[in-house]
Amino acid sequence: MTEAAPIAPAPARTNPPHRIGLTRPLIIGLAVLVAVGTLLATLVTGFDQPQVALAFGVLVGLGELARITLPGHREVAPIASAAAIAYAFLITIGTESVSHTAWQVIAVVAVGLLLGELPHIMVGQSPHWGDLARRLLSLSVLALVFRPIVGFVGPEGELWWVSLGLMAGLVVMVWALDSVAAAAIRADRLHTRFRVTLRDEMRAQLPIGMAIGASGILMALSAYVMGLAALLVFTAPLLVTQVAFRRFAEIRLTYLQTVRALSRVTEVGGYVETGHSRRVSELSQAVGCELGMRESDLLELEYAALMHDIGQLSLRDPIPSGATVLAAPREQRRIAELGSAVIRETGVLDSVAELVRRQCEPSAGDGDDGPPPLGSRIIKVTNAFDDLVGESKDADRTAAVLQRLRMDTDHEYDGSVVDALSAVLNRPASRW
């Protein structure tokens, strides 16, 4: 990094300590209490129809073993969840009525989830305990509401549609509650706003949630005609759905890995410091979360931040250490325009290209287009910060650079973005 004019140390701005996220530990603790309590209660009273319990428990375990991770680090187990819902909704198997309690449903599902998780643990994969706890608690609510009234509903007779409607309503209710819990955990983890994560969670989980719920209901109702064979019949289409979601997640991951590899070209070529693009990307996402950006906007911000310096590849004489903040405004604009043109060639990243193109504009804009997008303003601030600080951990230097950025908030930098950056840097868990 090129040494700029000496920056006089400035007193660090003190921000109130960020609240510690307690949602995830509380949900995990509650799930453990529910699992242990129901298992002990079931062991004392005995399992009703153990063969049926074993069949559903095995399917839950296999489904947990085949769980998938969706974009946004969301861990789901469609087959396990559908089997758990079916067991909670089970009314008859053929002509034989079932009478297992809600406690038995929860105990069987808890054991199945744990057994399905063990192989992942044995190969060194760290479980997402929060997601696992949410799955168990969602099933618990479903079972506790439905099992006490199972004697008043059934899959036959003129009022069969009442049973179907009740099951569908309970699935929607539990899906909404699960989305709220997932959003609370995500808001704590990302230090962002709950209403933003709630909207993101509902949008992300709606397709897979409806597929799981419908499959679980069909399994339970079809057992009246097909017996336990319904488990295999309705697991097959759900498995196809799971493969499709897994393929989608893999494509998204490959896409991101390609962008990350492309962003490193400027580092390999010596145009910017090693790690600069990664640091700007991570810091930009943290600032975006602090400002309450949606998940889709955060993804575009990540792409744009990774490739914000790609325009430097077109320079005949590289900027020393790639510190564009030290370049003339006209040169900064030229680099941004060249980078945007390269990104537009992909044909699918036009919004990302626009973020890159406008990253050098003042916070209020400098033309008829108005202020640049929030993502562009974030990249402008985080890029300037990393250009001046780099990998340094010196607290005085960090405080001095923040003070320097604040001095330019009247024109160059967005004051709210600089404040968000300061909040991110002052967190106890911040790597800076």
Side-chain angles (χ1 to χ4, degrees), residues 249-265:
E250 290 174 348
I251 291 173
R252 282 279 298 270
L253 180 59
T254 302
Y255 205 73
L256 179 58
Q257 290 173 340
T258 302
V259 171
R260 286 173 176 168
L262 183 61
S263 70
R264 293 202 62 217
V265 173

Side-chain angles (χ1 to χ4, degrees), residues 1-2 7 23 74 77 87 101 103 134 139 151 168-169 212 232 235 256 268 270 285 295 315 318 342 361 392 403 408:
M1 185 182 69
T2 300
I7 302 175
T23 305
R74 295 179 177 88
Y87 192 43
T101 64
W103 312 115
R134 282 179 28 240
L139 181 277
I212 291 171
L232 297 178
T235 295
L256 179 58
V268 175
Q285 290 181 83
E295 185 176 4
L315 298 179
V342 171
E361 295 182 14
S392 174
Q403 183 65 19
D408 288 333

Side-chain angles (χ1 to χ4, degrees), residues 57-328:
V58 169
L59 186 57
V60 169
L62 292 176
E64 184 63 29
L65 182 64
R67 68 172 190 245
I68 58 177
T69 301
L70 298 180
H73 304 288
R74 295 179 177 88
E75 189 179 83
V76 295
I79 295 176
S81 298
I85 291 173
Y87 192 43
F89 283 158
L90 195 62
I91 302 173
T92 61
I93 297 181
T95 58
E96 182 181 2
S97 298
V98 296
S99 57
H100 54 259
T101 64
W103 312 115
Q104 179 170 318
V105 172
I106 300 170
V108 168
V109 172
V111 172
L113 292 176
L114 180 60
L115 292 178
E117 198 68 50
L118 286 179
H120 295 287
I121 297 175
M122 293 173 64
V123 298
Q125 295 181 1
S126 178
H128 292 187
W129 294 113
D131 292 332
L132 193 66
R134 282 179 28 240
R135 288 199 286 277
L136 180 61
L137 292 178
S138 298
L139 181 277
S140 301
V141 173
L142 204 66
L144 290 172
V145 173
F146 186 81
R147 294 313 300 176
I149 62 173
V150 71
F152 303 98
V153 297
E156 57 182 351
E158 296 181 357
L159 297 180
W160 63 268
W161 54 270
V162 175
S163 301
L164 180 61
L166 177 61
M167 292 178 182
L170 287 175
V171 165
V172 173
M173 178 193 73
V174 171
W175 166 80
L177 291 175
D178 183 66
S179 297
V180 170
I185 293 175
R186 190 175 181 84
D188 281 344
R189 178 169 61 87
L190 298 180
H191 304 282
T192 190
R193 299 168 188 171
F194 172 75
R195 66 176 182 273
V196 175
T197 57
L198 179 59
R199 181 176 52 194
D200 288 338
E201 289 298 324
M202 286 189 166
R203 183 184 296 110
Q205 295 194 31
L206 179 61
I208 191 71
M210 294 302 101
I212 291 171
S215 299
I217 293 173
L218 289 174
M219 282 185 193
L221 294 179
S222 299
Y224 171 68
V225 177
M226 304 173 63
L228 291 178
L231 299 183
L232 297 178
V233 171
F234 288 97
T235 295
L238 191 59
L239 184 61
V240 174
T241 302
Q242 178 168 324
V243 171
F245 275 98
R246 185 188 295 273
R247 184 72 57 84
F248 170 72
E250 290 174 348
I251 291 173
R252 282 279 298 270
L253 180 59
T254 302
Y255 205 73
L256 179 58
Q257 290 173 340
T258 302
V259 171
R260 286 173 176 168
L262 183 61
S263 70
R264 293 202 62 217
V265 173
T266 53
E267 299 176 8
V268 175
Y271 287 87
V272 299
E273 284 189 340
T274 301
H276 171 72
S277 298
R278 173 184 55 79
R279 292 193 300 270
V280 171
S281 175
E282 292 175 353
L283 201 52
S284 295
Q285 290 181 83
V287 172
C289 289
E290 185 73 22
L291 293 173
M293 293 182 69
R294 297 181 304 172
E295 185 176 4
S296 57
D297 294 334
L298 286 173
L299 182 62
E300 291 183 351
L301 176 60
E302 180 179 9
Y303 289 164
L306 284 170
M307 297 188 292
H308 75 282
D309 270 335
I310 200 170
Q312 293 200 43
L313 294 174
S314 302
L315 298 179
R316 178 174 300 178
D317 299 317
I319 299 173
S321 298
T324 52
V325 71
L326 304 177

